[in-house]
Amino acid sequence: MGWDAGALAGAALLVLPSLGLIAAGVAWKGRAARPFAASRARRFAQREYARDLQRAADRVIATARRSAGEGEPAIVTVEAVVRTAEEHYGHSGVERRHAAAALRRRYEHGRCATDCVTDAYG
């Protein structure tokens, strides 16, 4: 099983372009990403805003539950969600209606009606 000149040339014609493509792919990695699209960035920012509001609501609910005394309901306010979203997640100018909607979702999801009181419905 020897290598003759023709087989060696054929292997070189197959391997060298492949290595060139691999090297080019490594060198240009990330540059061929989709170009910036304002609509995609806006959708991402909206999803991140909603997710951060829900996290802020979860955080406020957990804090209120920990600070409530034995047999007392945890008091969860929309203003606390707004404050948490601004302080912990860096959102400025959080709308009260958005915070209230996030608090209502997490309030219902976390079964808070049994041990919490909120102003999100008012």
Side-chain angles (χ1 to χ4, degrees):
M1 173 152 202
W3 287 87
D4 63 351
L8 197 57
L13 286 175
L14 181 67
V15 171
L16 290 178
S18 299
L19 290 176
L21 287 173
I22 291 171
V26 169
W28 292 321
K29 180 180 178 188
R31 293 187 189 163
R34 289 187 266 171
F36 177 77
S39 62
R40 191 170 50 252
R42 196 170 27 258
R43 280 193 314 268
F44 177 77
Q46 288 169 348
R47 282 193 309 266
E48 184 180 27
Y49 176 73
R51 184 174 48 244
D52 288 346
L53 280 179
Q54 288 194 359
R55 287 179 180 161
D58 285 339
R59 190 178 193 123
V60 168
I61 289 170
T63 302
R65 281 180 168 165
R66 279 192 305 272
S67 65
E70 184 66 33
E72 294 179 354
I75 300 171
V76 185
T77 64
V78 174
E79 292 306 317
V81 174
V82 170
R83 189 173 48 252
T84 302
E86 290 174 349
E87 291 174 0
H88 290 280
Y89 298 102
H91 294 288
S92 59
V94 175
E95 290 188 35
R96 189 181 194 291
R97 64 187 178 96
H98 293 159
L103 181 55
R104 282 191 299 270
R105 279 192 301 274
R106 302 317 291 171
Y107 186 85
E108 293 164 1
H109 181 268
R111 296 185 187 89
C112 290
T114 59
D115 63 345
C116 298
V117 176
T118 186
D119 62 347
Y121 292 97

